[in-house]
Amino acid sequence: MKIRRISAYQADLPLVEGPYNWSGGNTVTVFDSTIVRIDTDEGLSGYGEVCPLGPAYLPAYAAGARTGIAEIGPALLGLDPRALGPLNEAMDASLKGHPYVKSPIDVACWDILGQAAGLPLCEMLGGRYGDDFVLYRAISQETPERMAELVSTHRAAGYTRFQLKVGSDVATDIQRIRFASEVVGDGDRLIADANTGWLMHDAMRVVRAVRDLDVYIEQPCASYEECLSIRRRTDHPFVLDESIDSIRALLRANGDRAMDVINLKISKLGGLTKAKQVRDLCVSLGIGMTIEDTWGGDFTTAAIAHLAHSTPPRALFTSTDFNSYVTVSTARNPPLREGGRLAAPTGPGLGLQPDPAILGEPVLVID
Ligand code: MG
């Protein structure tokens, strides 16, 4: 089987709740997503999606994804999409770095591999654990009162884990955490994600001020070293996200005992092939995981669901259903949450049927 054509579609994904705000005054109202389609000479087609959280979150941006795909696509024509090892070697040989560019291509090839095998991806990624898995809800940075209200609303819809977007001024962030902690229930989990937004002295003031609360602290500062400094001065459970962008970063952080949980984003690592390596290492090392991506619609949500559903529940801290945050559906049979839980699709591969009316004409074709 050979890759015959690589196409990319662009999709605007507006948000159900309006602007999504996070640290540093960053905000996104409409996500710019890229969906890759790979066609083979044997009639199978696979899909993958990449959707950066705007251009100011990681070294990744939406137009860059499409430019990067145009750069490496010609080197992939003629390769067997089922041979994920050689495929990833070829991508890394033709473009250094840029994991987010490679992620949708890797996922589309996994989709083809699953279809060829007649198996859903979660079966090929380790096997399905139970009926479904647990989700969190991201709470956009708003006033402390509004954020507590949003936690209550989503709690009523079945969510039990809430990630508060903090990382602005210290006094308001402390209130955000305090107000939200008053509306969560026993057994719920609360995460304060600063998205690199605090300097070390800010982070120290926040963790001391909320020391009596059961809250996880996620990526308080910009660099790994700053985060490690806070980690060593707090007894809150600690999550690293932006700093864990490779296996090398994970192994270093594990050696330093720098976190209890990582946030594993598929496109940050370069696709399912590398995300599975990191996932399996974390299971063996006893590191909890939030399994997700930077953002996306149905295709991203399906890829996340297959990786999360094939992760031992003891190691899966939480996951996410990005397609419930956006108003546009790019597949006809999207995975949909029930309460605060989601299941991976049961069809072969990603198990999604794309909606051609929504995808429209490709913005890029390599053949
Ligand atoms: Mg995070």
Side-chain angles (χ1 to χ4, degrees):
M1 187 186 296
K2 288 184 168 61
I3 295 176
R4 191 164 60 85
R5 184 187 303 115
I6 300 172
S7 313
Y9 301 83
Q10 191 276 334
D12 284 334
L13 304 176
L15 284 156
V16 173
E17 289 179 2
Y20 178 73
N21 311 316
W22 47 284
S23 77
N26 286 292
T27 186
V28 176
T29 307
V30 179
F31 280 96
D32 181 347
S33 195
T34 300
I35 294 155
V36 169
R37 168 179 171 166
I38 293 182
D39 296 314
T40 66
D41 61 348
E42 295 187 18
L44 291 180
S45 300
Y47 290 82
E49 179 176 12
V50 60
C51 182
L53 180 53
Y57 173 61
L58 291 172
Y61 66 108
R66 297 185 281 271
T67 303
I69 291 161
E71 179 71 27
I72 62 178
L76 309 178
L77 295 176
L79 297 183
D80 187 336
R82 300 166 303 179
L84 275 308
L87 178 100
N88 274 274
E89 287 287 316
M91 288 200 288
D92 288 341
S94 62
L95 178 68
K96 197 171 181 67
H98 298 271
Y100 74 109
V101 166
K102 299 163 184 172
S103 182
I105 297 172
D106 175 79
V107 173
C109 289
W110 271 97
D111 188 16
I112 291 167
L113 176 65
Q115 292 175 50
L119 289 171
L121 286 190
C122 63
E123 304 296 343
M124 309 186 77
L125 292 166
R128 195 182 292 260
Y129 287 88
D131 295 333
D132 54 18
F133 57 88
V134 69
L135 300 170
Y136 80 86
R137 189 76 189 186
I139 306 296
S140 171
Q141 190 173 105
E142 309 289 347
T143 64
E145 294 82 0
R146 177 64 184 147
M147 288 175 79
E149 209 175 281
L150 285 167
V151 169
S152 294
T153 301
H154 291 298
R155 192 163 185 273
Y159 286 98
T160 55
R161 297 176 183 202
F162 306 95
Q163 189 193 79
L164 306 174
K165 291 293 154 187
V166 291
S168 69
D169 74 277
V170 167
T172 312
D173 281 340
I174 292 167
Q175 277 195 318
R176 288 179 171 121
I177 298 167
R178 287 215 164 269
F179 286 19
S181 75
E182 283 166 18
V183 296
V184 296
D186 291 343
D188 289 1
R189 306 289 180 92
L190 195 60
I191 304 117
D193 186 358
N195 286 112
T196 75
W198 293 321
L199 292 180
M200 286 184 283
H201 67 95
D202 298 326
M204 280 311 301
R205 290 174 63 206
V206 174
V207 296
R208 285 174 58 179
V210 300
R211 189 155 183 229
D212 58 312
L213 301 179
D214 182 9
V215 59
Y216 291 66
I217 302 297
E218 178 163 337
Q219 192 78 34
C221 303
S223 71
Y224 172 73
E225 290 77 9
E226 291 162 281
C227 288
L228 182 58
S229 166
I230 303 305
R231 157 70 165 179
R232 289 178 170 161
R233 291 185 278 163
T234 178
D235 57 5
H236 287 285
F238 207 81
V239 187
L240 283 180
D241 180 349
E242 286 87 335
S243 290
I244 305 296
D245 58 1
S246 65
I247 285 179
R248 285 180 194 280
L250 171 70
L251 292 178
R252 178 189 177 198
N254 179 65
D256 291 339
R257 303 290 181 262
M259 71 279 157
D260 307 293
V261 176
I262 67 157
N263 188 314
L264 187 166
K265 292 184 162 82
I266 293 170
S267 67
K268 180 174 66 177
L269 296 166
L272 280 171
T273 301
K274 288 168 182 169
K276 180 182 186 302
Q277 289 181 311
V278 169
R279 188 275 310 267
D280 291 343
L281 274 171
C282 285
V283 171
S284 297
L285 296 169
I287 298 167
M289 285 167 280
T290 289
I291 292 184
E292 60 163 349
D293 211 321
T294 45
W295 211 277
D298 290 332
F299 291 94
T300 293
T301 301
I304 292 168
H306 284 292
L307 190 62
H309 211 154
S310 60
T311 300
R314 65 182 171 82
L316 183 66
F317 177 53
T318 184
S319 186
T320 197
D321 61 327
F322 281 125
N323 63 351
S324 78
Y325 292 68
V326 299
T327 61
V328 170
S329 193
T330 49
R332 288 174 170 152
N333 56 341
L336 297 174
R337 71 181 171 83
E338 282 188 35
R341 302 184 71 86
L342 187 70
T346 53
L350 280 179
L352 290 193
Q353 293 163 9
D355 187 336
I358 300 295
L359 292 181
E361 292 299 313
V363 294
L364 172 70
V365 177
I366 300 158
D367 57 8

